[in-house]
Amino acid sequence: MTPTSASPSLDAAPSDDTARWTPRLAGVLIALIWPTQMLAAAGILGANATSSVAQSFHTTHVAWFGLTFVLVTTLLTPFVMKLGDRYGKKRLMLVITGLGTVGDIIAATAGSFELMLVGRAIAGCYGPFGALSFPAVRHIFPARLVKPASAILGSSVGLVGIGAPFLAGWLVDGWGYKGVMWFITAATALSFVLIAFLVPQIPPRDRRPGFDWLGGLVLGGGLTAVVYALGQGQSWGWTDAKTLGWLAAGLVALAVFVLVERSTAHPILDFTVLRRRPVALVLTAGGLAQAIAYTMPSLVILLALYPHIPGVSAGLGWTAQHNAAVGVTWNLVMFGTGIAASRLMRRIDARHLWWAGLILMGVGYGLAGFFHADETELILTSCLANLGSGLVVAGAPVLVVGVVSKEEQGLGSGILNMLISLFGAVFTALAFAVLATHSTVENGTAFYQDAGYDWIFWTGALLTAVPLVLSLFVPRLRDPAETDAAPAA
């Protein structure tokens, strides 16, 4: 039985003027949105559960609760994006969501912190799901619907920002970290069911013999070492031998990977694709821009929840529920903008919306550096920034679609996801380094002053200039309605 015989493929769906949204296609998109954005929801839920985990297990190493998941995800991403092309994306989706469910169950029932970390490590196998879901859209949907479907898949993160903070407060207040872990378990299991019944089979795209296991280990290991060093740098000290050692080891591994892959018969990364200027520009700009768009809201939460102590701490001192209520405003803006962009991108050059999004995001966070003293100021500046963020997260996958072929989509989306993680770690480390220079330590706890928050917003604004400048050199994008619509031989 061939991989396509289990369920009919939508690759053969109409790709010309007859292509339109159907209940079946809507169901497929929902089945891809749920597991993709569950990763963002799990991040918010996990962050809110961290304190409960630390108190329940009486550990001072609670940072590993989140770091373990991130490190395993980073290590496995190169393998997932290649194995998806080799064995079929649906099959691999089921494998990694199944492993994620098993890991979540272990974490939810763990009687020790060490066993909890084992569960989190296994659950990290689910982390690279985005490296499969965005390419799946390219292969499943009619060519004329690829851009709007990709934009909706990316911008649906705004829905997570609306509901997850309220859900986190309810679960943590009522059941502690176990409530969070069991919810994540159920949500991951639902992902498995949705994929199994709604996502069609996608035939393997790479049938060449041999697999570059060594290259995957060197690449994933190098990226993991760099992310680990950046994640621990604040607690170890940026000049500490451990920080510098892990960072150096990661950079050396990445350098070795580049040299070795050039002579590998079947490299895990096709450098002939990555050397094309449009691809390199889009992936670098898209990775950095989305890292800023995803990381800045977590830093806004830091400002909101830290106490307000004159002369010591310039936080706003909000409760988690109040922060969630206020945050609904800018998350609605982000989601609504993304949905509008998904429609506009069928008629407007996606680069124009992308440029507008970066400008709005930069201006919004630049103004937030000056105005963040109360709800009104933070709502106005964050809504402006998220008006841009909505265009950015909706536009990034569309830009990738416009510079890679259908066969290269898995590689492009996989690299984009790796860069988002890497740039996100770099930006987070930079943010806390900035905050540390404007902090006051009381009873062993660092409290941040207003100048630190000012520079966090200004740093985010300034960094948006980098992807903006890079993307100005991206040539006109190819339309999948023209490049993918040719019927298969």
Side-chain angles (χ1 to χ4, degrees):
M1 182 178 291
T2 63
T4 56
S5 61
S7 61
S9 171
L10 292 180
D11 241 3
S15 57
D16 52 17
D17 290 338
T18 64
R20 64 186 185 279
W21 285 99
T22 65
R24 189 182 183 195
L25 286 173
V28 172
L29 187 57
I30 291 171
L32 293 174
I33 287 174
W34 179 268
T36 300
Q37 300 307 347
M38 256 310 300
L39 292 168
I44 296 174
L45 294 170
N48 281 270
T50 299
S51 176
S52 176
V53 171
Q55 294 176 60
S56 297
F57 291 104
H58 306 288
T59 179
T60 58
H61 302 290
V62 73
W64 282 97
F65 175 70
L67 193 57
T68 300
F69 187 97
V70 173
L71 293 179
V72 173
T73 296
T74 304
L75 177 64
L76 293 183
T77 297
F79 295 102
V80 167
M81 66 185 187
K82 193 68 173 180
L83 290 170
D85 287 336
R86 177 64 60 89
Y87 298 107
K89 292 178 176 59
K90 176 176 180 175
R91 183 178 300 172
L92 201 58
M93 287 178 184
L94 292 172
V95 169
I96 64 176
T97 51
L99 288 171
T101 303
V102 170
D104 290 333
I105 291 172
I106 294 173
T109 58
S112 68
F113 187 60
E114 291 75 17
L115 187 58
M116 158 85 68
L117 295 184
V118 171
R120 294 290 286 167
I122 298 173
C125 297
Y126 172 45
F129 191 88
L132 298 172
S133 59
F134 286 97
V137 168
R138 183 78 176 269
H139 293 295
I140 293 172
F141 281 73
R144 285 173 57 83
L145 297 181
V146 166
K147 290 197 294 185
S150 297
I152 293 171
L153 181 58
S155 61
S156 57
V157 70
L159 284 176
V160 174
I162 294 170
F166 290 105
L167 178 62
W170 176 61
L171 291 171
V172 173
D173 290 345
W175 297 278
Y177 81 90
K178 284 186 176 291
V180 168
M181 294 312 303
W182 279 117
F183 177 84
I184 294 175
T185 300
T188 309
L190 178 58
S191 297
F192 185 94
V193 173
L194 291 173
I195 295 164
F197 287 98
L198 296 179
V199 176
Q201 295 286 359
I202 304 172
R205 298 276 166 175
D206 184 359
R207 294 183 173 86
R208 295 176 297 177
F211 191 86
D212 186 17
W213 294 102
L214 178 61
L217 285 172
V218 175
L219 174 59
L223 290 171
T224 302
V226 171
V227 171
Y228 179 56
L230 294 172
Q232 296 291 87
Q234 183 65 29
S235 58
W236 286 346
W238 294 109
T239 58
D240 186 87
K242 289 187 292 185
T243 304
L244 297 177
W246 277 98
L247 188 59
L251 294 175
V252 168
L254 294 177
V256 170
F257 170 77
V258 172
L259 294 174
V260 171
E261 288 296 282
R262 292 179 176 177
S263 59
T264 301
H266 304 293
I268 199 162
L269 294 187
D270 188 347
F271 281 99
T272 60
V273 176
L274 300 178
R275 279 198 295 266
R276 297 206 307 260
R277 191 186 72 173
V279 177
L281 289 172
V282 164
L283 294 181
T284 305
L288 179 55
Q290 288 188 100
I292 297 169
Y294 293 143
T295 304
M296 282 301 298
S298 66
L299 299 173
V300 173
I301 292 175
L302 196 69
L303 164 67
L305 299 186
Y306 258 63
H308 182 75
I309 307 172
V312 177
S313 175
L316 298 177
W318 296 350
T319 64
Q321 289 296 318
H322 183 66
N323 175 64
V326 174
V328 165
T329 54
W330 55 75
N331 283 304
L332 276 173
V333 168
M334 182 178 184
F335 178 66
T337 303
I339 295 299
S342 70
R343 297 181 64 85
L344 291 173
M345 284 179 187
R346 294 188 65 173
R347 300 186 296 273
I348 298 176
D349 190 330
R351 294 175 303 168
H352 298 163
L353 294 176
W354 169 264
W355 296 333
L358 287 169
I359 292 170
L360 289 170
M361 191 166 74
V363 171
Y365 284 128
L367 290 173
F370 294 101
F371 306 106
H372 55 258
D374 54 36
E375 290 96 331
T376 301
E377 291 184 356
L378 203 56
I379 286 173
L380 292 175
T381 55
S382 294
C383 280
L384 179 59
N386 272 26
L387 187 64
S389 296
L391 295 175
V392 165
V393 298
V398 176
L399 262 62
V400 176
V401 165
V403 295
V404 298
S405 69
K406 200 170 186 179
E407 291 69 27
E408 298 163 347
Q409 184 69 47
L411 172 65
S413 296
I415 294 293
L416 182 65
N417 274 268
M418 286 194 293
L419 290 177
I420 292 171
S421 297
L422 180 61
F423 289 142
V426 172
F427 184 46
T428 300
L430 177 62
F432 278 97
V434 170
L435 286 172
T437 62
H438 301 281
S439 65
T440 301
V441 178
E442 296 284 347
N443 297 322
T445 301
F447 296 96
Y448 306 117
Q449 299 165 10
D450 195 54
Y453 293 116
D454 293 345
W455 275 106
I456 287 299
F457 289 115
W458 292 334
T459 299
L462 290 171
L463 284 177
T464 60
V466 178
L468 177 60
V469 171
L470 289 177
S471 59
L472 291 175
F473 296 94
V474 174
R476 185 171 182 82
L477 303 172
R478 294 178 296 181
D479 192 335
E482 300 172 359
T483 59
D484 297 358

